[in-house]
Amino acid sequence: MGYISLLVMIPLAALLTNAFKGGLGAFWRAAISTESVDALKLTLVCSFLAAAFNAVAGTATAFVLVRDKFPGQGILNTIIDLPFALPTVVAGITFYALYGPHSPFHVNITGSWIGITVAIMFVTLPFSVRSVQPVLESLSLDAEAAAATLGASSFRIFRTVTLPAILPALLTGTGLAFARALGEYGSVVFISNNLPYHSEVASSYVYSLVSSGQVASAASVAVVLLCLALLVLIASNVIGRRLSRRHG
Amino acid sequence: MKRSSIVLRCLVLVYVMALLGLPLFFVFQQAFSHGWAALWAALHDHAMGLAIVLTMKVALLAVPLNVVFGIGVSLWIVRRPSWLSHVVDVIIDVPLAISPIIVGLILELAYAQSGWFGSTFARLGWKVMFSLPGIVLASIFVSLPLVSRQVIPLLREVGDHQEQTAATLGAKPTRIFFTITLRSIAWTAAYGVTLTLARVIGEYGAVLIVSGNIALVTQTLTLNIGANFENFNAYQGFVGALLLAMVSVMVLVFIGVARHRMERKRHDSFA
Amino acid sequence: MTVSLNGVTKTFGHRLVLDNITESFADGQLTALLGPSGSGKSTLLKIVAGLTPLDSGQVVIGDRDVTHAPARDRHIGFCFQDYAPFRHLSVFDNVAYGLKVQRVPRDERRRQVEELLGLVRLEDFANQYPHHLSGGQRQRMALARALAVKPDVLLLDEPFAALDAQVRSELRSWVRSLQRDLGITTILVTHDQSEAMEIADRLVILNDGKIEQAGKPSFVYDHPATDFVAGFLGPLTYLDGIAYRPHELEVGAFGEAGENVRVTDVTRLGFEVRVTLENARGETTWVQLTHDEARALNPVVNQTLVVRARAEHSVLTRTSQH
């Protein structure tokens, strides 16, 4: 208990007191400064795009892992966890080298929302795959077979039988990915170029405030970012639970 | 084989390989791009060597602490439930939702000289921020729930009947823990430990703030890589990245094995 | 060794699970703790084992007051319904666990484990792991493991509930004879009245955290102290507001002594025949006839017969039909 309070609770309390040290007004001014709002907006949009895209791609990947059989599947299954194992800074510099000014493919997506989104897609893919995969594995094929005998097309079967079953887990996984994406730093910071008002994500902005000594403002923006992440987590959990109750 | 499923398989393979496989390959390609001699020389870089030593120190301190804590708190939450343990059960996942930058920030707010405890610690002669304890603290924070998240559901599933049976056979609590409890969670705990290790070695944002990123002194390997890259020494950066990439490949292989063993255990179970 | 409980009381939150239980379990006997689920029987067993703390009262095994002793010091053997095999240990090491704790030397340990495995007929499975065993084999392994430490008392929690019918009846009689041979005091928890009647020297019937009745199975069956016991131990049928066992009523042809009734249903259940009857006041009752009786009488629906109590019936209670 002491371990947790020393580590988590007391520092969090320190964050809150620092954010509101100058009163509500100061907190609010820091939180809604143009640079802060632009950074938060960019973070939300890129995180949402990446999480949403991976919800689809992750489901497809889980499908291939569970239902398909082909040589090398084990390697595919293993490499899905790469973003958990590979340090974000390694991913960050690699993306910069791959898709930056010296790109071997001659594409430069640095300093744009595209680059940020790609980096976040990298980081969040396993969340979607690993949330859907176990549900698909435990899903009996009987219901799908029954639907097929009724003449339903594969897409229709997926939409009416499979999707409702995996949706709660998918939502929770996507929510987790979204929340994680909101705070992502290491993999994003290199490819984004950190141009204020333009390609600076929220965590980057907090860092720039910290390194320039504006700790109270940093705390204010951090509180907003933290609240957004918690909101996403809670919302996806609540919706996921409600959906799973409806579908038994 | 239906055509649609082959198309789906190919799409997935292309996506995963482009998004995950290509960067991994590229790290190796970059590190070897200047030949063996250059690589050999770069591996002997003084600053990187110090960074590696620091990262190892941090891992040796943070990982065991979090493993002991993770298993202990899991047992407490599952076997001795109380209102307090329910609260902890919720709090313990909080670090996963916090940006590493914010982790760094809040540790600074609490433990820097100007922070809540900073002055007290300074009087005692402890330096937390911009030194090893701060980096260890940040590493522990970001990897706090990785063991317990794996172990808690397993302990619930296994139940306490084996432990209680051992008690009726005369075994003392410590013996029960080592011969029964630990044995039944071993692979799952190892899986959590590996995730913890990967996270501790790979942490960047939180360590960036609490360490102050002082070259040769408080620079961990990830910070060293970032610094080299930003200082137009991309090659040296990729040599460091190569080392971390090799660690992650080992981590991946172990995670794969551990998951396989965990699934087989579950399959063997009959409860 | 005798087990005595003295005023054992237990609450979970605000729910009174065991209410002042005082009971004694005689040396060398097999006692069945019988009751519906939620009656507190498993909790009582765990309190004897020291696996659940009690709120107040006293547990005595032999002449030792073990109320505050931890499970490991009580010299008991305990078997869970799921057998709780140590999954990561071989059958041999499962059985050897308690001996290892007692630091029995290796050779002696090996000899004892082999003897026990012979006793439970698992000699050929010593090096197998529990997940290779069938349900019945796992249960025998759990028994051997519990017996290895030579406990004073054997405690079995629903030992046959997870087995299929065939294995269950085999194991039941095997456990019974094993218990007699060893002469070990045994308490067995079950919700199955026929199991309890078959296996136990003595029944202790629990309901709602209280002991309803205790005694020899045949006596309790014939002389239940409460409505609950009467109903729980076997089916009841009612005639004029008095409860009978179904075989204690007999029917005769119209005109004989007895109350006139109309047959409303005849169900043939193999060797016995169940006949449902209705009297002039619209009250229904049912009787159980043997195959021969039914053939002699040949009851058909809407026929009028008479019903009466047999001469040697045991009046259960003055229960009124609810």
Side-chain angles (χ1 to χ4, degrees), chain B residues 200-242:
Chain B
V200 167
I201 293 177
E203 183 46 38
Y204 181 68
V207 172
L208 183 64
I209 292 185
V210 297
S211 73
N213 198 9
I214 309 160
L216 308 176
V217 184
T218 64
Q219 215 167 50
T220 61
L221 187 51
T222 51
L223 295 182
N224 178 260
I225 292 168
N228 277 325
F229 196 78
E230 281 175 338
N231 297 330
F232 308 103
N233 194 355
Y235 175 67
Q236 183 66 46
F238 272 109
V239 172
L242 171 73

Side-chain angles (χ1 to χ4, degrees), chain A residues 60-105:
Chain A
T61 308
F63 238 89
V64 168
L65 283 172
V66 174
R67 295 285 168 82
D68 211 346
K69 281 276 165 290
F70 56 90
Q73 200 173 19
I75 297 174
L76 180 68
N77 191 22
T78 305
I79 204 173
I80 295 296
D81 285 328
L82 182 71
F84 288 150
L86 193 73
T88 52
V89 66
V90 175
I93 66 169
T94 310
F95 276 119
Y96 187 88
L98 269 173
Y99 306 118
H102 310 294
S103 162
F105 313 116

Side-chain angles (χ1 to χ4, degrees), chain B residues 63-85:
Chain B
V63 175
L65 272 171
N66 257 359
V67 171
V68 171
F69 167 78
I71 293 176
V73 85
S74 304
L75 277 170
W76 181 51
I77 288 172
V78 178
R79 298 283 189 252
R80 299 247 185 292
S82 61
W83 67 267
L84 197 61
S85 73

